[in-house]
């Protein structure tokens, strides 16, 4: 098996001790970085190549941190007006997916 096959298998077995340790390290490291950060290389080179990435000039990779979960309606002093149907604050779903939001920020 080539190196990419080994990487692919490594990413499939997420419960292994090595993977869990690396994931914990990476998450800590990503939290220390700024919200929009240019990476020197992809975290998963095998997956990146499948998606069309080539390690040559002209290809750049950014890592963008985005708030996940539902959106919250901004209301002044917590006061909502109108009918009860429109008084929801917490369970609003975003119209665009997280990927498109991240691409816009870069």
């Amino acid at each position: 098996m080539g190196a990419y096959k080994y990487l692919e298998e490594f990413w499939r077995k997420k419960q292994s001790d090595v993977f869990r340790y690396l994931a914990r390290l990476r998450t800590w490291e990503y939290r220390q970085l700024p919200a929009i950060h240019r990476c020197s290389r992809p975290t998963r080179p095998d997956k990146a190549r499948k998606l069309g990435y080539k390690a040559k000039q002209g290809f750049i990779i950014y890592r963008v941190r985005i708030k996940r979960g539902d959106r919250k309606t901004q209301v002044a002093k917590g006061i909502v007006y109108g009918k009860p149907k429109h008084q929801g604050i917490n369970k609003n779903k975003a119209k665009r997916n997280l990927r498109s939001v991240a691409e816009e920020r870069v």
Side-chain angles (χ1 to χ4, degrees):
M1 287 197 302
Y4 289 126
K5 273 280 187 221
Y6 277 111
L7 268 175
E8 207 174 302
E9 190 179 336
F10 176 72
W11 275 90
R12 247 187 272 127
K13 297 179 177 169
K14 292 188 170 67
Q15 289 296 314
S16 68
D17 292 340
V18 177
F19 187 91
R20 288 168 69 178
Y21 175 71
L22 272 176
R24 199 164 60 244
L25 276 181
R26 281 196 185 121
T27 49
W28 178 85
E29 189 184 354
Y30 295 162
R31 277 202 304 271
Q32 311 311 310
L33 295 170
I36 300 173
H37 157 74
R38 184 172 172 184
C39 320
S40 56
R41 64 187 74 242
T43 311
R44 297 184 62 178
D46 56 325
K47 183 83 177 267
R49 280 182 64 82
K50 280 183 182 174
L51 295 172
Y53 170 80
K54 294 271 195 297
K56 61 180 188 179
Q57 284 185 329
F59 283 88
I60 53 173
I61 293 179
Y62 276 87
R63 194 174 287 119
V64 181
R65 192 182 312 135
I66 289 181
K67 291 248 194 272
R68 297 179 60 194
D70 295 343
R71 301 296 108 193
K72 194 171 181 180
T73 306
Q74 286 188 329
V75 287
K77 299 180 184 172
I79 303 164
V80 286
Y81 299 101
K83 299 200 171 185
K85 184 192 187 327
H86 299 294
Q87 289 183 357
I89 290 175
N90 288 325
K91 295 183 179 175
N92 298 327
K93 310 297 181 261
K95 299 281 185 284
R96 295 167 53 208
N97 60 18
L98 297 177
R99 179 181 165 181
S100 71
V101 174
E103 287 172 353
E104 185 184 78
R105 288 187 188 175
V106 176

